[in-house]
Structure formats: C-alpha cells, structure tokens
Amino acid sequence: MKALLAGLGLVLVMAGAAQAADLAPQKVYQQNCATCHGADRLGGMGPALMPESLERIKKPEALKVVTHGRVATQMPGFQDQLSPEQVQALVDYLYTPVAEAPRWDAEEIRASRVVHHAPGSLPNTPTFKADLQNLFVVVETGDHHATILDGDRLEPVHRCKTRFALHGGPKFSPEGRYVYFASRDGWISKFDIYNLKTVAEIRAGLNTRNLAVSDDGKYVLVGNYLPGNLVLLDAEDLSLMKVISTKGLDGKVSRVSAVYQAAPRKSFVVALKDAPEVWEIPYGATPKQKGWVHDYGPNSGEMLVGPPSFKVRRIQVADTLDDFFFDQAYRHLMGAGRDGKNGMVLDLDTGLPISSLDLPGMPHLGSGITWEYEGKSVMATPNLKESLVSIIDMKTWKTVKQVKTLGPGFFMRSHENTPYAWTDAMMSPQRDAMVLIDKRTLEVAKVLRPSPGKPASHVEFTRDGKYALVSIWEQDGALVVYDSATFQEVKRIPMCKPSGKYNVYNKTTRSSGTSH
Ligand code: DHE
C-alpha cells in the first residue's frame, strides 16, 4: 500500500511537473506562435513580439488578442488550445526583452544582399510570347509562390518560389519588366518578368510594412516596423543607398504605417504609425511647387531644386494615421487611424488639413478606388469592421452614401471600362460573397458566390476590363475568372491561396479602379 501511495505520489509529482512544463511560455510560444512570428520573436508573417514592438498595446489587450484573435488579420484566437494561465504566462513572456536587442543596421542590410544576375547580364527580350502589358503577377501565400499569368490566354506562364509571407501589393518598374516583392520579415526581391528570374534580394528590415518604387524606376523605398525606419534602395541592383530613421518630433522612433510613391509629385509619401506625422521625400529634381508653403522641417533643409537629396519634409497632423489614400492628382491625402477616428484630408501642397472625414468602423483606405459619379469624383473605401462601403465626394469631402454590404470586407476594385465596383465580405460569415456596386446608382447590383462556403476576396481586372479575376482564399483555391459584363464564369485556374493579383497595365498606368 505504502509502495502504491508512493507510486501515486510520484505520478502526481510527475503530472505537476508536466503541467509546469506545459506552462513554460517559451515552449507554448514555439508550439503556437513561432511559425508566424519567428522562432526568435523577430517577426515573420506576423509582427515581431517583443517589448519594442508591443509598446502601443497594453497587456490586457494583448491577452484578449491571444485569447480571441485579432479582427482584420490572420491572427487566430487560442482559447481552445491554451488555458487562461498559459495565455497569461505567454503574454508576460512576450513583454520581456529578447535575449539580444534586435539590430538591423546598414551593415546587416548590406551583408544580406544577394545578386543572382547582375544588371545587364540577362537578355532584354522576353523569353515567352504574350501581351506584356496584360500580364498578372499572382501572389500565392498558401505555399509562398508567385505565378506570372497571361491575361489574354488566362493561362499561367511561370510559377516560382517567393520569400516567406509576402504582404502588400508587389510594385512594377514603369515599363513593367521588373516586379518588386516585400515579405513581412523584411526581404525585398526583384524579379525579371522577361527572363522569369529573381535577379536580386536584400533583407531591408526585420519586420517590413511595404515598399514603393519611384515612377522613374530608379528607387525603391521600404517602410519598416522593425527597426522603425525607411530603407532606400537602388532599384537596379537593390544596393543600399540610405537608411532614414523614422524618429518623430518627440524623439521616439516610430513604426511606418505605409509608404507610397506619388508620381505626379515625384515624391514618396510616408505616414508614421506612432507619431502624428506625414513625411514627403522627393526623389525627382522638381522645381519649387506652386503653393507649397511649408518648408521641409527640422531634419531636412531647403526646397529641392537639384538632384534628389532624399531630405524629409515633415508634415505634422492631428493624430497618427494607420491607413491613407490619395486623390488621382496626389494633391490630397485622405487618412485615418485603424479605429476610423480622426479621418482627415491633408492638402499635400500646403501641408495643412482641409477637412475631416466621416468614417465609421475600421475603414481600409489603402484599398480605396475612385470614379466619376454625377459629374464629381468620388472615392469608395471598404470597411474591415462594418458592413458598408463609404463613398466620399472628393470636392466637399462629405459622405455621399454608405452602401450596405453583406459584411465587413478587405478589398475593392473596379476598372474604367466597367460600371461595377467589386468588394468582398471576407471578415464576416458571408465571406464567400462578392458584392458588386453599380457605380452609376451606388446601389448593390449583384452578389456572386464563386465557391459557396469558401472565402472569396481580392479582384483585379484584365487590362481592357473585360474579365474580373477573383481569389478563392484556400490552400486548394483558385482564380475564378468572370466576364465583367455578363457575370458569367469563364474559367477557374487552380492556385494555392492566391492572396492578391496585380495587372501590369492597370498598375503602371495607375488605373482609378485599382490600388497604386
Ligand atoms: Fe494587408 C496591402 C496593412 C492584414 C493582405 N496591407 C496592405 C497595405 C498595407 C496593409 C499598409 C498596402 C501595402 C502596399 O500594397 O504597398 N494589412 C495591413 C494591416 O495593417 C493589417 C490589417 C494587419 C497586419 O497584419 O499587418 C493587414 N493584409 C492583412 C491580412 O491579414 C491579409 C488579408 C493577408 C496577408 O497576406 O497578410 C492582407 N494586404 C494584403 C494584400 C494587400 C495588402 C493582398 C495588397 C492589396 C492590393 O491589392 O494592393
């Protein structure tokens, strides 16, 4: 009996030890979080998880996110897998510094660069026959590949491996020969579409937001969360030109919300996520712009008249901007926080706010599009939290209409040659639906369900607007091709979770129906 009890005791002690081991947050992290956030917590598909990157999230909120997941992201909730104690221990662990402070300076960036094919070493004639302006680049996040798709034949031309977890729209060089990809963990890749080869790669940051390519094709600017900075690359061979720390006027380093190129202004425009500032960085030798009354602020200098110096023009705004959008002329920036609060319009010439915006829920301005409605330009933005699309008059900045949709959605697309704007309801139980809004009446005209029960999202049109390509976001997903006039399905092309697709012509000509 004594022996039995002793044995039982042993079992109990062992069970206790096992439980304690299960609670070990390092182990819980490696089992549940490392695939997306990196084994070293420095980020991957998900953001880095360390005190520096969690500064703006209080612990109780982090507990909620780990337990229930985060809306509008790929972050799932873990309440079924982890006990409340395990979640608490895990969150405490995330707020402890990583063993070695993360460093990714000019030295590390330079050392990471790989040139697979030196500039000028590959033929200048395409290795395949197709309308080069009607090609699509399709990002397949399911197995981290990209497909080059012929938009006339609607057939893949080539499929290749990409870096892990690409995010955001890849960006083209002006003539459409090269495409630049950014991965969440900082890798920038330059791909030669004519030769179907990756020509150069560089790790520009540890956790990257997105990249922009200047419209003259000379520069790539990368915006990073970690370390908070902008990294300027020579677009030819991705060699490092400059690292610009995104230090706000308060002296603290901020993450970058996003960077875009404003072609008509010959500049990059950047919003900071942790400081109420918009930066403009001219890349062209522009003459002094009419009506541009602000100077470039403390860390910059004079108006640009010579070759680009990449000095920063700082524009202070009332609050931080997580997401923003430009009018077609790039004179005005429409911005908002993720909570939809403080929606505002900034006149980029004067650097002054000119209007507020009425944006409920969580507008996804970066996915906005524009068109002409009753003689005026309007902008439409999907909403990640509310079942609506806001349509805004771009002269008065008033909401013309909130179009009720089937659920909160991520993306929106149209084309000059179609009267319909397509949006998804991906953040809702109706995630299999595509909602088509008539641009002439602002009414929902049609609902399509390409694969009932399966998530449908992200549309891109062929160069002529004749076909709309919709993604089925599943491992064994597909691109479903619709005739955009009759809404008849014309083809289904199997793809592995095709997150986004990008048409060379629509992108390089900055079609009003697509993101830029
Ligand atoms: Fe995105 C574009 C930010 C979550 C897929 N996303 C962008 C851009 C920004 C952004 C700033 C514009 C970059 C560009 O194209 O140059 N995304 C954010 C977020 O802040 C958010 C909500 C949280 C996060 O995880 O960072 C977020 N995004 C997601 C996802 O969960 C999506 C659905 C899946 C994924 O791949 O991570 C996703 N985002 C996309 C796609 C684009 C994008 C496909 C390109 C849209 C386009 O058509 O141009």
Side-chain angles (χ1 to χ4, degrees), residues 24 30 120 123 198 254 285 354 361 368 426 481:
Q30 291 304 332
T198 299
S254 168
I354 57 162
M426 249 242 300
V481 183

Side-chain angles (χ1 to χ4, degrees), residues 45 72-74 141 166-169 171 184 209-211 225 257-260 273 338 364 384 410-411 413 426 458 473 499-500 502 507 515:
M45 176 171 171
T73 72
Q74 304 290 302
T141 45
L166 298 187
H167 175 235
K171 301 287 151 55
R184 288 208 185 243
R209 200 75 292 246
N210 74 327
L211 68 78
Y225 265 12
S257 294
V259 46
Y260 297 104
K273 207 170 178 75
R338 275 272 179 258
H364 200 207
L384 295 164
F410 242 98
F411 305 108
R413 278 289 202 278
M426 249 242 300
H458 201 280
W473 278 51
S499 67
Y502 310 88
K507 288 291 177 197
S515 56

Side-chain angles (χ1 to χ4, degrees), residues 61 70-72 338-341 359-364 381-388 405-410 426-428:
E61 194 195 332
R70 184 188 276 289
V71 67
R338 275 272 179 258
D339 54 7
K341 284 193 194 125
L359 292 168
M362 199 188 273
H364 200 207
T381 171
N383 202 296
L384 295 164
K385 226 175 188 170
E386 304 274 337
S387 305
L388 58 88
T405 59
L406 291 184
F410 242 98
M426 249 242 300
M427 308 307 294
S428 79

Side-chain angles (χ1 to χ4, degrees), residues 355-358 391-401:
S355 184
S356 57
L357 290 172
D358 174 26
I391 299 183
I392 294 162
D393 181 330
M394 297 182 83
K395 202 157 197 186
T396 62
W397 307 109
K398 298 271 173 279
T399 303
V400 179
K401 187 165 182 188

